[in-house]
Each structure stands twice: as C-alpha cells, then as structure tokens.
Amino acid sequence: MLFPKSFHFLFFTFFFILNLFAQDKGKVMPLKKIINDIEEQHQVSFNYTEENIAGLELNPPKKSLTLDQKLQYLAKKTNLSFENIGNKFINIYKKDNQSPKICGYVISSSDKKPIENANITSNQIQVTTDSNGYFEFKKEDKNTFLISHIGFIAKRITAVNTDSKNCLQILLDPEITALEEIKASAILAFGISKNTDGSFEIKPKKFGILPGLIEPDALQTMQQIPGVNSLDESVSSINVRGGTHDQNLFLWNGIRMFQTGHFFGLISVFNPNLAHTISIYKNGSSAFYGESVSSVVAISSTPETTEKNSFSAGINMINADIYGKYNLSKKSYIEISARKSITDFAETPTYKEYFDKVFQNTTITDFSQTQNVDYRSDKKFGFYDATLKYAQKIGNKDQIILDLITIKDNLEVFQSATAYSIIRSENNVLRQQNYGGNLSWKRNWNSFNTTKVNVYNSSYELLANQKNTYENQLVIQENAVNNNGFNLENNHIISSKFSLNDGYQYNEMGITNLEKVQNPDFYRKVKDVLRTHALILEGKYNDTLSRTYFKVGTRINYIEKFKKYIVEPRIQFNYGISKSLNLELLGELKSQNSQQIIDLQKDYFGIEKRRWIISDNNTIPIQRSKQLSLNLFYKKNDWLLDVENFYKKVTGITTSSQGFQNQLEFVRTTGDYEIWGAEMLVQKKMNHFLTWLSYTYNHNNYHFSNYEFPVFPNNFELMHSVSWAGIYEKNNFKIALGTKWTSGRPKTTPDISQIDLNNPVLVYNKPNSNNLHVFSQVNISSTYKWETENGIQYKLGISILNILNRKNEISEYYRVSTITNSIEEVETFALQRTPNMSFRVSF
C-alpha cells in the first residue's frame, strides 16, 4: 500500500521530534561537565573542591537561560551554593555543615590580572593561588596571613569577621627594580639585547635589520658582535676570540648540533623564522653548559607566552620555507617548519655566486682546470631542513615538550673529459646530515622550586663517495657522530635576592671514521666512545636596590674512560656604579673532549674536509680553556658605550685541528694558543635612526714547544677589525647600510732563496710571518612590510653583499704544480657582488 509523500514527511518529522524530546528528557550529565559548558558559554571560571561536586549528576539547564538563571537552577537541583563575583568568578560551597572559610583573589595592581602561585602563609596555613588567583582555607581564631610572590611587594592581611561567601580582593604592587636583567634592549639592531649576565640575546620575531641581512639568521647576526667573525665568510667557520668553529657549542632546544651550515657554510641550518630566543655567551657561561672551550650559542624555539595560531611561507633566491603553529587545545600546541633549496628548478645569480665561492680550489674545480679538452659536467645540489615541536601542559604544574629536527645537504657532480681518445671521468657524491630529538619535562613544584628533565639524541654523518672510471678506483670516506644524553636541573628560589640551581648531566658520544679504497684495496674503520658525568651547582644573588648581580657556579666532570675529574668554575659579576654605568667581570674554566681535524686538505673533495674525533688523553689531549674579561658599559640619553678587555688561553690543541696549509700541514704535535685584546662598541639612537661603530683588537699566538718555531701568530688572528652600520626604521620600512674592514689574516710564504727552481721542493719562511691584504666589504639591505584588512601580512626584502664588488682574498697557500713543475700560488676569494631577494606571507 502506497502513502502520499506528505504522509511520509509528517511521519518522519513526528518521529524525529519525539526522539529528540525523549533524549533531552533523559539526558543526565555529571555536574562537572555542566560547569565546563557554562564556563565556555559565559566566559566565567568556577572555583570548587572536587569532593563537593563528586558523583552529582542532573539534567543540564537550557542554554537559552541567563547565567544567574542557570546558577539558580543548579542551586535548586543540588545541595550547593553558587556565589557569582562580577560575572567572572563563581565559588561553589556546600549549604549544610559548611566549615567557615576565608577565600580571596590575588590580583596585580598594575594590569588587574590574577597572580598564579602566590604564597599565602601564617603559623597554621600555607596555600598557593590557582590560575585565577583564587585561594581559600579554613577560618581560624587568628586570621592574619602574609601574601607574597616573586616580583611583587609582599602584603600582610588581617581578615575580621570575614564571610566565606564574600571573598577578599587583594591587590599586590609590582616590585620596582633598579637593575634590569636587560642592560640594553637595542644593541646593534632592534631585537638584539645585552643581558646582565654578559650574554647577547636575539629575538628573531622582534628583529629589525642589519646590513646584508633580510632575515634574522642567527649565525650571520652573531658575526656583527665585536669579537665574533668568520675569516672565510662561512657560518661553519665562526671564530670567537681566536677559537675554531668546533670549539663553540651550538644547541637547538637542548640538542647539540654538529652541522651548522647549509651550502657548506654559506647559510645557517637554523630556520630564521622559527626561533624565539637566541642566547650567545662569549665568556662567563652557565655551569650547565659543557663540552666547549669557546662560545655558547643556545637557540630556543619555545615561546615564553602563549601565542595564537599562525602560518607563514616565504621564498628567496636560495630556498623556500613554510612555518605553522596550531593550538590543539588551551594546554597543547604543535609547531612545524620546513625549508628546501630551490636549485631543483632554478639557478639564480645568488646560487651561482655561492657555488663559485664554495667550490673554488677543491678537487671538483681541479678536475675541470686540468681536463680542458671536451670537458663536460653535470651537477646536482640541494638541501633541506625540517622541525617539529609538540608541547603539552598537564595540570597547572607540568609541561612536556618534544622537539625533532632534521638537516641534510646533498651534492652530486659528474665530470668527464676526453683527451687523445682517452676518456677520464669522475662521479662524486658528498652528503652531510644531522638529525636530533629532545624530550623534556618541566615541573613547577611550587613558586619556589622547579625541576627540568630532558633526554636527547643527535646523529651526524659526513659521507664522500668518489668513483674514477679511468683508474677504476672507488674512494669512500665517512665521519659519523652519535651523541646521547640526559640532563637534570633543579631551580630553587631561596629569597627575593638569592636563588640556587643544581643538577646532573650524563653524556655519551660515539664517533666513527671510515676510509675505504678499491684499487688499491684499503680499509680502515675506527670507532671511539666516551662517557662523561657532570655535577653542577650554581648560586645567584641579585640585589636590585644596590644594583649588584653576582652568579657563581661550578661544574665537576668525570670522564669514565680516563677515570679523570675536571673542575670548571664560572663567575658572572655585574655592579651598577650608577644608573648609567655598569662594571662587569666574567670568568670561566672549560673543557672539551671532541674536536674537528683535517687529515688531508683533499679529504671530502676539499669542500668540508674537517672530521670529528674524540680525545684519547694522549696524542689528542682534552682541550681546556681559561678566560677572564672586564667590561665597562655606559648607557644614557640614547648613547651607548661598551668597552671590554679580555684574556683567553686554550691548551690541548693539535696542529691538525688548526687547518695549516704550510710546513705544519703534515706535522702532528700539540700545544696551545693565547689571546688578549679589547672590544669596543659606540652606538647612538636618534628617533628612527640607529648608528654604531665597533672596533676589535686582538693579539693571538700559538705555542708549540716541540716545534722549531715554538711561538708564532695564530691562523685565525685578525689584529684589527672595524665595522660600521647606519640603520633607519620607520613604520614598516627598514634600510641598513654598513661596512666591514679587517686587517689581513696571517699567511706563510715560500723561501725562494732556498728553492731549486729546476726541481722545486717547497721550503717555507717562518710560519704566519706575513699577512694577506686587508678585507673590505660594503653591504646594504632593506625590507618593507604591509598588511591587508583581513590580517594577512606581506614582507619584501632586498639585499646586496659586497656592493662595490671588491675582490677580497681570504686564504692563500702554495703548492708544486704537476703540470708546469713550478711553485704556484693558490688564492681563495670571498663572495663577489651577491644580490638576494625575499618575499614572505604571514597570517
């Protein structure tokens, strides 16, 4: 039997309404779920104890009711009282058998925001406020209690005849400090500051602009700091006060990074659009930093405060990248970033300049220069990096963070040449990669004590594969590092002036070096493992009234393999002579068990020829350093003057770690280097204009007691260095022009008087007895940002390195040519004029 369509419609409509009515009538929910729904709908916060609402279930009030109507409904259906305080906070009490209580809200008087973890103490009680600033405790005969929190002036309260249903509103005044943690909030550029502990801090998201930079690249930016430079324009060869690159400690979210550069050193591996804080220590680093005898660069991508969802994408003439952050809930978020070179589909002028700079005087270019008949080549180069962060808060006291990073560079070059009907070809593959992960847990026991625990791993590999078809020879070289560790750190606030930190660190490092040759056959594989333990203790005193900051700590290392203890004290002292003038003293003793060496200059095609090794406490000693610096810092009326004198000595270095290309290239001995000098910065800010001038002087000598010339200048000595920049920023437009001038680095020349030109054999003068020509470069950069009505931001950047196209020599060595049987001079030059352009979209 068929029914009209209207009957079907009425039947299903009736059934649907009946079903909804039946579900609504029988839908009983826990009171806690009802409270959560009301909080979300009306933007209020309930304060209650779990025992008061446990096990209570009832039908929820209609969503169309007002907040007060819902509270009346709940009070009627339960044996509870609901106190509404300004339609913001709602307290829940039991109606019967209710013990007298005192309750209150602790609020900042400056911004009217609740103060979490404020301490409420008396002889009988000790409680802390929750995230809403709320507290409560049982009423006693004496109702006098003290409320305190770090950063606020403590207040003593006497509650007389307090009704538990009328909570106290307590305002705490912020404590005014005379000595700020940040001494200068804009040094060298906006977004760069200098802290009381002597460290420099970079905030990439607040970064202004520097000459030649259109992105806040961490390792390029730090080279603007007096005392930090790179003799070959590489972020993989950063020298801090005369040290080598491997003597610096690079950390990304607690993970030690063994690879710091893409494009074999011309670009930082750290995505400049990701980091939130970059801390740089030239001296006086915390005792929690080990395994370095030079500087510390600690990069953190964890935000200090909760941030909104965001996404951005950008491209420049070398790479493209994306970044995204998404809040999964109020207490968790996920953050990703990825960056890849664009060389797969475009070879820009920037890429060509970079390529020529990197591959000059390597086995790649040597082949093309010697095989000049019917020469052909095919090259493929690319790099990428990616990161992932997941953060989860658990309750009000715990947080877990997972960080992952992967970095890879890959080069493939095929070359062939035909001469006299003989085909010669080479197939070269060079791969460099670094993977890392860190899992951390932080616990706030109370407002005075916190604990941080993290476990990490970092794996590094450098692989070279060279196949020569003419000689039917295969050469494989590999350098691999596997670094695991566990860190424990406890922080204790003893008083408003004094705090104490203690901890333990375990580190295991394994390094493998492999060399394999076919025709003739050769195989060598060496693996070394070193395990260390460290106990750390630090104390910090900060008296804001007397403008005195003092931090002292010690690190006790124990090396299992050598059964050796090494004690490393650290000190930071800062005294405010006046509101404008500060005196700073920094000192440290440090040690390092791993280092990079060069066996042969042609290893890994002469491109990335350094390999990591571990100390054996004999021919490869443990490197140890001591450093002391004295600084005067003046800041007044937008003028800034920073003058620092320092002394540094590093022992246990080897000749193979210093990159010699003279008579010491094949000499294996140990020694030290000693450097002293001065660094000065003068800066002036005028409205939208910022200009600065820096000068660095250093005197840096090697000491190799077993060599015929025991004392001579360091390979990385730049006796004089001068930099200047002029920066203009107004609204969304920024432009920076700057120049850098340095005296030439040391070089060693042949002694022509002792060389037989018919059968030449290199005989050298005293090592590093001459210098290269001066280095001079002028750079410019500019950015402009605009925003649409729907909140999408666009940013365009343009930069030019070496505007004047000056030919700067950065290294020089000599060799005997097998073609001409004569001594030839081999020169390496810095980048020629190199343009770059970037475009970025953010929302």
Side-chain angles (χ1 to χ4, degrees), residues 41-53:
Q41 182 182 0
H42 295 280
Q43 298 299 309
V44 296
S45 296
F46 283 82
N47 294 304
Y48 55 86
T49 58
E50 292 289 343
E51 60 182 17
N52 285 348
I53 67 169

Side-chain angles (χ1 to χ4, degrees), residues 328 331-334 389-393 399-402:
L328 301 173
K331 294 189 175 183
S332 64
Y333 69 87
I334 188 170
K389 176 188 288 289
Y390 172 74
Q392 174 71 59
K393 285 187 177 180
Q399 184 179 36
I400 293 176
I401 299 177
L402 173 66

Side-chain angles (χ1 to χ4, degrees), residues 760-777:
V761 176
L762 277 171
V763 179
Y764 289 97
N765 290 306
K766 184 179 178 181
N768 293 344
S769 54
N770 285 283
N771 292 83
L772 300 178
H773 296 295
V774 299
F775 178 99
S776 178
Q777 190 179 80

